[in-house]
Amino acid sequence: MASLAASLLPPLLLQDRKTLFRTSQKPLVSYVGGRQNCAVIVKATGDSSESSTSLSILKSVRNVWDNSDEDKVGLVGLGFAAIVALWTSTNVISAVDKLPIIPVVFEIIGILFSTWFVYRYLLFKPDREELYQIINKTISQIFGQ
């Protein structure tokens, strides 16, 4: 019923919305079902925060790209190599997943490792404190603190 009400709207109640790829018309009227049929007209003003955020991210990436002194061809090649590596690893994982025994073995290994990790680091309080110290030490080594 709501789609019927939205399809019968006059063109004056439709708002043109420009996106990156095409212009779409979104209805400004929503249908509220029940015993009483009523329509509510809603008009939003201003830019959506989603589109302004994506534009600001795009501008900041463009500024970093323009101001970088690095080898841009090398960066593009590195990005392409990362995409190819991701695609290849996805295909290898899906191929291994189709083998009859390998997924079961990996699942058993995962269950055993998870059980060992819970027993070793999470079950008792001194072990949790040790894990917390290990994590803090690793973070300080990464950030150089």
Side-chain angles (χ1 to χ4, degrees), residues 3-145:
S3 63
L4 178 65
S7 65
L8 296 176
L9 292 174
L12 293 176
L13 295 178
L14 294 176
Q15 175 187 13
D16 287 337
R17 176 176 257 169
K18 293 181 181 178
T19 61
L20 290 175
F21 303 108
R22 60 183 163 83
T23 301
S24 64
Q25 291 186 338
K26 299 277 183 168
L28 293 175
V29 176
S30 64
Y31 173 76
V32 179
R35 292 185 183 180
Q36 283 186 324
N37 294 335
C38 63
V40 178
I41 298 175
V42 178
K43 183 177 181 181
T45 59
D47 293 335
S48 71
S49 63
E50 198 173 285
S51 64
S52 64
T53 304
S54 63
L55 288 177
S56 67
I57 291 172
L58 184 62
K59 286 179 183 177
S60 65
V61 168
R62 187 174 292 149
N63 286 338
V64 168
W65 180 259
D66 291 337
N67 294 335
S68 71
D69 295 334
E70 307 229 358
D71 184 19
K72 293 182 181 179
V73 175
L75 289 175
V76 170
L78 186 62
F80 180 74
I83 291 172
V84 168
L86 180 67
W87 176 77
T88 304
S89 63
T90 303
N91 286 334
V92 167
I93 289 172
S94 66
V96 166
D97 194 38
K98 291 178 184 175
L99 296 174
I101 192 75
I102 302 295
V104 175
V105 171
F106 283 155
E107 187 174 351
I108 291 171
I109 290 171
I111 291 171
L112 290 174
F113 181 78
S114 299
T115 305
W116 172 81
F117 184 82
V118 167
Y119 177 74
R120 173 66 178 93
Y121 288 112
L122 301 178
L123 197 57
F124 303 109
K125 186 173 182 174
D127 297 332
R128 287 191 300 265
E129 292 171 355
E130 179 186 352
L131 177 65
Y132 182 71
Q133 290 173 355
I134 291 171
I135 291 172
N136 284 337
K137 180 181 175 185
T138 305
I139 289 173
S140 66
Q141 286 176 350
I142 290 171
F143 293 121
Q145 296 175 354

